[in-house]
Amino acid sequence: MTDRTPRTLSRSAGLAPNRRLLLSAGLGLAAAAALRPARAAGSVRIGYQKYGSLVLLKGRGTLETALQPLGTTVSWSEFPSGPPLLEALNAGAIDFGSAGEAPPIFAQAASPELRYVAAEPPAPRGEAILVPKDSPVTGVADLRGKTIALNKGSNVHYLLVRALERAGVPYDAVKLAFLAPADANAAFVRGSVDAWVIWDPFQAAAERATGARVLVDGRGTDGQALAPNRQFYLSRRGFTETSPEIVSAVIRAIAAVDAWAEGHAEAVAAELAPAVGIPAPVLTVALGRLSYGVAPLDAAAVADQQKVADAFHGLGLLPKPIRVADAVWTPPAHKAGPRAENR
């Protein structure tokens, strides 16, 4: 299918991907800094994606209410995925946001400012490698020589790395088409790619619309998990140092909306559908694969993230090793809120 490979396609072998990835991140940082205003005193700038607890928090307006006693206002900026959101965070264009497993690894490699402030529990069913319903591909080993679409530097990038490794397929034995979800969906539908590595709710939408088959998800196929697929909440060192009470208040507000959402999947789907542009019944499927319960990072979460960092460094995607624990925020005990004792 190489004759139909998108022009954005690049082989990972010989690509010098670490330099390109960090260069693109640097360009994103400069653009983000130029396009967004500086933070006003008594405000918090939050970056969000169209799916998850932050978009619910924005829609319900409860964070604004929670921050009123602190004299703090909220501004919101939407991003298409985790990598550009964290580019903006590193640039100081936003103060707080969320992303999956891989984007924080590249963000930490690009800047020492990144801080992990909380995480959701694993949700391994919420990301998968999809193939067309009539594809002859029946296992990950069959992807050798095939064209695979994915969002570069996103959570699913790590899922693909782990799945190929488990199947004994070298990373440079597949062709990678680095495409944003909308472009990847179009390529998948027209048959320009053989597989698509994607997360919910786009995963659920593709399954419903095209009958796409799940080749493997984060749970793996042999009883050994491939990728936890955690959602992380992140900030900058400068903001956590100057405004720890705001960070803690945001986390408490997320915990409250999580507690409501966990038992109201249909209501959540109805609330998200207009913003996401995906029908509520499809979102209900995706929400059934989501996890709730924001909390400080525990030892397991840090260890899993270190595995992501080590995997990308081993492939030459990072220019140097990083230590994830160095970027984990420990809130001041007197300002941290009710969960501080769990850290």
Side-chain angles (χ1 to χ4, degrees), residues 8-340:
T8 54
L9 176 78
S10 58
R11 292 180 184 268
S12 56
L15 187 70
N18 53 329
R19 295 183 180 87
R20 291 194 180 188
L21 195 59
L22 293 177
L23 176 60
S24 66
L27 294 174
L29 297 179
L35 292 175
R36 304 219 189 274
R39 184 174 74 90
S43 68
V44 58
R45 300 163 301 171
I46 297 181
Y48 71 99
Q49 301 176 52
K50 281 189 173 182
Y51 183 64
S53 295
L54 284 181
V55 72
L56 277 177
L57 197 61
K58 176 181 182 293
R60 298 175 75 80
T62 51
L63 180 59
E64 285 79 356
T65 301
L67 290 178
Q68 279 180 356
L70 297 176
T72 302
T73 60
V74 185
S75 62
W76 300 86
S77 298
E78 182 182 315
F79 293 85
S81 62
L85 188 154
L86 291 189
E87 289 170 6
L89 186 71
N90 270 352
I94 59 174
D95 307 305
F96 189 98
S98 66
E101 292 156 337
I105 299 301
F106 294 107
Q108 185 181 353
S111 169
E113 283 292 300
L114 184 81
R115 287 294 177 268
Y116 292 86
V117 299
E120 303 278 2
R125 295 189 299 151
E127 61 177 1
I129 302 175
L130 302 180
V131 294
K133 61 182 178 181
D134 57 353
S135 171
V137 173
T138 60
V140 176
D142 297 333
L143 293 175
R144 186 185 293 265
K146 304 295 186 184
T147 302
I148 305 169
L150 70 154
N151 197 74
K152 187 177 185 178
S154 66
N155 59 331
V156 295
H157 200 154
Y158 179 62
L159 173 63
L160 178 63
V161 166
R162 292 285 290 117
L164 293 174
E165 178 185 59
R166 184 73 58 80
V169 179
Y171 183 67
D172 60 4
V174 299
K175 305 165 194 173
L176 303 180
F178 291 124
L179 300 170
D183 295 329
N185 179 68
F188 186 75
V189 169
R190 68 174 176 261
S192 297
V193 297
D194 300 292
W196 181 19
V197 200
I198 190 58
W199 62 87
D200 272 329
F202 305 111
Q203 173 189 337
E207 291 175 279
R208 173 70 66 91
T210 70
R213 289 190 287 111
V214 173
L215 195 62
V216 68
D217 62 26
R219 296 173 297 177
T221 57
D222 54 5
Q224 296 184 359
L226 290 175
N229 189 33
R230 284 184 177 87
Q231 187 76 2
F232 292 98
Y233 296 99
L234 305 122
S235 188
R236 292 179 292 104
R237 179 174 59 178
F239 191 73
T240 58
E241 289 179 351
T242 61
S243 305
E245 71 286 352
I246 296 176
V247 175
S248 294
V250 174
I251 294 169
R252 289 194 296 270
I254 294 169
V257 81
D258 265 12
W260 171 77
E262 188 170 14
H264 299 85
E266 291 186 1
V268 173
E271 197 165 312
L272 287 177
V276 179
I278 293 176
V282 177
L283 288 177
T284 301
V285 173
L287 289 166
R289 301 191 284 229
L290 200 60
S291 63
Y292 300 97
V294 63
L297 275 69
D298 59 15
V302 175
D304 284 341
Q305 276 298 92
Q306 190 62 53
K307 291 177 184 177
V308 180
D310 294 345
F312 283 128
H313 179 255
L315 289 169
L317 297 174
L318 292 180
K320 61 182 180 180
I322 63 168
R323 185 174 180 267
V324 170
D326 292 342
V328 177
W329 179 57
T330 301
H334 64 292
K335 294 182 179 179
R339 289 181 182 258

